[in-house]
Amino acid sequence: MSRNQPLISEESAHYLAKVVNRAAESFDVSALSTEEAVEVFTLLDRLTQKLWDEHKRVLVSLYQSIFERRGLSEDDEDDEDEEDGSDLH
């Protein structure tokens, strides 16, 4: 592969997407060791934080859209936490 070419070509992108989707569906998290689970979680947490820092406005809209599609509001989530006695603070 040349340095001037993209890592994933337009032609191969749909094949790679299928592979990634299959891997995600069959990813057996129970097979991870404790250390592996911590590493995966840490990686995802760092990626999530970077995405949030740079794209907060879009992500807030995304979360609001998800809540709306599920018939929830932020107030509903707060009410459920109070009802089950959990304290997130």
Side-chain angles (χ1 to χ4, degrees):
M1 174 178 292
S2 166
R3 288 181 177 248
N4 296 329
Q5 293 179 344
L7 179 62
I8 300 171
S9 70
E10 294 290 325
E11 295 81 24
S12 66
H14 69 281
Y15 295 112
L16 291 171
K18 288 180 182 180
V19 170
V20 169
N21 286 335
R22 279 199 317 264
E25 289 173 4
S26 64
F27 184 58
D28 184 7
V29 295
S30 65
L32 295 176
S33 69
T34 301
E35 294 82 6
E36 290 169 331
V38 168
E39 290 299 324
V40 170
F41 183 85
T42 301
L43 171 66
L44 293 174
D45 183 55
R46 288 180 182 168
L47 286 171
T48 301
Q49 187 60 52
K50 287 180 179 268
L51 284 168
W52 183 258
D53 291 345
E54 294 298 323
H55 301 284
K56 191 178 299 182
R57 182 175 295 153
V58 171
L59 293 173
V60 166
S61 297
L62 173 66
Y63 284 121
Q64 288 172 337
S65 173
I66 291 169
F67 284 146
E68 289 172 6
R69 278 191 307 222
R70 293 185 178 186
L72 301 173
S73 70
E74 291 180 45
D75 293 337
D76 291 340
E77 290 294 313
D78 291 340
D79 292 344
E80 287 179 13
D81 291 340
E82 290 171 8
E83 288 173 8
D84 68 10
S86 64
D87 185 7
L88 298 177
H89 301 291

